[in-house]
Amino acid sequence: MKQFYGEKTFGLIDCNNFYVSCERLFRPDLANKPVVVLSNNDGCIIARSNEVKKLGISMGAPYFKHKALIRKYNVTVFSSNYPLYGDISQRVMDVLMQMEPEVEVYSIDEAFITFPKGKYLDLENYAGFLKNTVQRDTGIPVSIGFGPTKTLAKIATWFAKKKSSTDSTFVMNDQHHLETLLAGVDVSDIWGIGRRYADRLKKQGVHTALALIQCNDTWIKKQLTIAGLRTVMELRGIPCISLEKAPPVKKSIGTSRSFGQPVHALSALQEAVATYTTQAAFKLRSRGLKASIIHVFIRTNSFRKEQAQYCNSKTLTLSESSSHTATLIKAALTSLKAIYQPGYHYQKAGILLSGLVPENYEQLHLFNAPDPSSISLMEAVDTINKRWGRDTIQSGAVGLIRDWCHRQLEKSPAYTTRWSELPIVKAAPPETFSVA
DNA sequence: TCTGGGGTCCTAGGACCC
DNA sequence: TCTGGGGTCCTAGGACCC
């Protein structure tokens, strides 16, 4: 492979229509039938079965705009069920880690692997073996691409999905002429080139990955920054992005939601912000971290051009980092009060915690002693909420009426993560299978 | 009526210091 | 009246990813 530098082969394992595949695991009657999964608040379509893709419904499309089509073609609709998807994802990753020593969990539905060039004599065969093993052990169909860099492995996976053949794998090897392959890839389909950059490149006459790798490096850096230049090097076959086996240290943790209906009152925003802070603080403690910076934002609906628009945010630095829910809520509500303006239709609020340090990292305020009772209180609350559900014990600030809560009308059960929602399999005649 | 959420990285520009 | 230059840090905004 003369044009490919580097000693390693990279692979990308990408779950097909992942959220839809997860829902189908427990609804085998939906195989080969059109299915979509909605975003939070049932707002956008974020996963589509192949049948739905053929109807021309695009990724991220607003649900309400396609309701008629969805009804017409009898598409089954699910609200998103992240506990289910997270659990199935873990199973897929476990299978890969049993097969390969070097695995990077890149996202909920993708993993990179890498191994020395030449480890497997027949890469096509190995890709098929990997794919079949994941499918057999988890029920999730995947596509797999191999290439000499991560970016080219991504492109190989793109070819694997594009091919109408059933094997869903693609290996970039000596038989392929890299330039011929890249001539068939639109710049917008390159990992790292988003819509803005793609538009910009096309305006200047660069339409394909092949045209891009032939551009001058200085020009590329000016157009796409150093990150874009790295992408181009990878497209040329020079590895610049390495495999990250350990998940990177978190720099921020946030929670934000759109409301189920417009919100006007400060009191409702306070409940929402307190609720999001509670959730973020729980995530913080689950990762063994404390935060010292808390950022709160509120905004109106920018799609409603006819309405008065307002968005604002405020960042507060705590005198001492904390993971204590009440402390964080107090700071969040102080910021909220400072930015709240009456008279607007608010659509979304959120909080972002940063300045994260390990919980055992002590940087005490000169005059404040730590309160050991607050630590044991939080531990008790987390234990109870893990056992009985996350709403069991909460701060009074989160409210009781909560009419701002987001919608999730079509949610499937937490089949694999909640005892009360386990699927019940009934004995059935051969060749049929039903789930109650 | 109804348009997601959670992240990361890069750069430009201002503040500040010596 | 005339009034430097370089380094660092921080932040906002824009780009990207799934």
Side-chain angles (χ1 to χ4, degrees):
Chain A
M1 203 180 301
K2 279 187 207 84
Q3 74 264 42
F4 293 159
Y5 307 91
E7 300 302 313
K8 295 210 161 214
T9 296
F10 290 86
L12 178 68
I13 293 86
D14 188 340
C15 300
N16 298 343
N17 318 328
F18 182 55
Y19 298 168
V20 167
S21 299
C22 289
E23 297 292 349
R24 277 177 171 164
L25 279 183
F26 297 92
R27 289 288 306 276
D29 57 302
L30 296 178
N32 305 312
K33 302 233 170 82
V35 178
V36 295
V37 177
L38 305 178
S39 64
N40 267 317
N41 217 24
D42 293 348
C44 295
I45 293 162
I46 54 166
R48 307 155 294 154
S49 69
N50 291 341
E51 299 76 18
V52 172
K53 289 177 185 173
K54 279 182 195 148
L55 293 178
I57 296 178
S58 55
M59 176 68 176
Y63 175 41
F64 74 91
K65 282 192 180 168
H66 294 289
K67 263 189 178 163
L69 196 63
I70 281 170
R71 212 166 291 138
K72 181 176 170 194
Y73 287 94
N74 210 12
V75 177
T76 304
V77 177
F78 291 97
S79 299
S80 39
N81 184 348
Y82 291 104
L84 174 68
Y85 311 148
D87 188 56
I88 302 300
S89 171
Q90 187 60 55
R91 298 179 188 197
V92 171
M93 301 308 168
D94 286 346
V95 172
L96 294 175
M97 287 177 193
Q98 281 164 21
M99 301 178 72
E100 279 294 327
E102 309 233 27
V103 178
E104 172 186 337
V105 178
Y106 176 66
S107 72
I108 195 164
D109 66 343
E110 283 171 74
F112 284 103
I113 59 173
T114 186
F115 46 81
K117 221 182 246 180
K119 179 178 178 188
Y120 303 102
L121 292 179
D122 185 342
L123 279 181
E124 277 85 359
N125 185 45
Y126 182 60
F129 174 65
L130 262 180
K131 177 192 142 57
N132 292 337
T133 306
V134 173
Q135 168 100 51
R136 185 195 67 203
D137 291 0
T138 67
I140 298 294
V142 297
S143 300
I144 299 182
F146 285 144
T149 67
K150 274 181 158 181
T151 305
L152 288 173
K154 270 267 186 189
I155 289 190
T157 307
W158 182 81
F159 278 115
K161 290 189 177 202
K162 246 188 89 179
K163 277 196 303 180
S164 49
S165 65
T166 49
D167 57 356
S168 304
T169 62
F170 188 87
V171 178
M172 279 190 187
N173 60 23
D174 297 322
Q175 276 71 53
H176 296 111
H177 193 251
L178 180 62
E179 300 198 342
T180 312
L181 286 178
L182 295 188
V185 177
D186 190 277
V187 284
S188 63
D189 291 318
I190 300 168
W191 184 46
I193 310 285
R195 219 188 56 215
R196 299 296 182 108
Y197 281 165
D199 288 351
R200 192 163 167 176
L201 289 170
K202 286 178 184 179
K203 267 189 197 132
Q204 302 182 73
V206 178
H207 294 267
T208 67
L210 176 61
L212 182 60
I213 64 170
Q214 291 167 342
C215 291
N216 170 279
D217 286 2
T218 312
W219 183 84
I220 292 166
K221 191 177 168 202
K222 189 161 165 252
Q223 299 297 320
L224 312 177
T225 80
I226 188 75
L229 182 56
R230 203 150 47 216
T231 294
V232 173
M233 299 299 270
E234 286 238 323
L235 287 174
R236 292 172 181 157
I238 302 164
C240 298
I241 308 173
S242 53
L243 195 95
E244 310 282 346
K245 276 181 82 174
V249 179
K250 275 244 180 299
K251 295 179 175 164
S252 64
I253 289 176
T255 299
S256 64
R257 291 281 178 283
S258 295
F259 303 129
Q261 55 194 58
V263 164
H264 308 93
L266 175 61
S267 59
L269 285 175
Q270 284 169 329
E271 290 180 7
V273 167
T275 301
Y276 304 157
T277 307
T278 303
Q279 290 170 16
F282 174 72
K283 292 184 212 170
L284 195 63
R285 294 191 296 271
S286 309
R287 295 177 173 276
L289 297 169
K290 299 188 292 190
S292 61
I293 299 170
I294 178 162
H295 178 84
V296 175
F297 70 88
I298 50 176
R299 66 171 339 137
T300 51
N301 188 339
S302 56
F303 290 100
R304 300 266 81 83
K305 304 262 187 250
E306 75 285 3
Q307 293 176 355
Q309 297 290 319
Y310 177 72
C311 87
N312 204 348
S313 66
K314 189 168 173 63
T315 306
L316 258 184
T317 302
L318 304 173
S319 58
E320 182 186 322
S321 54
S322 174
S323 61
H324 190 255
T325 299
T327 306
L328 297 170
I329 287 180
K330 196 176 158 204
L333 294 183
T334 303
S335 293
L336 173 63
K337 212 163 188 176
I339 56 176
Y340 173 75
Q341 293 285 334
Y344 291 102
H345 306 283
Y346 290 100
Q347 181 247 349
K348 186 173 184 175
I351 77 134
L352 191 67
L353 302 173
S354 56
L356 307 184
V357 292
E359 59 194 349
N360 55 7
Y361 176 89
E362 298 287 350
Q363 178 71 61
L364 295 178
H365 188 265
L366 192 52
F367 302 109
N368 287 352
D371 178 5
S373 69
S374 74
I375 296 167
S376 47
L377 172 65
M378 284 297 105
E379 281 172 1
V381 166
D382 289 347
T383 307
I384 290 167
N385 286 345
K386 270 180 201 154
R387 175 83 176 77
W388 300 103
R390 73 178 185 194
D391 299 337
T392 310
I393 295 191
Q394 294 188 104
S395 160
V398 304
L400 293 171
I401 301 172
R402 302 155 66 82
D403 51 6
W404 45 269
C405 269
H406 62 280
R407 290 178 302 266
Q408 276 202 305
L409 299 177
E410 317 283 352
K411 192 165 166 228
S412 54
Y415 294 112
T416 63
T417 52
R418 214 167 254 246
W419 287 109
S420 61
E421 298 180 14
L422 276 182
I424 296 163
V425 181
K426 293 174 179 162
E431 301 303 314
T432 67
F433 171 65
S434 68
V435 176

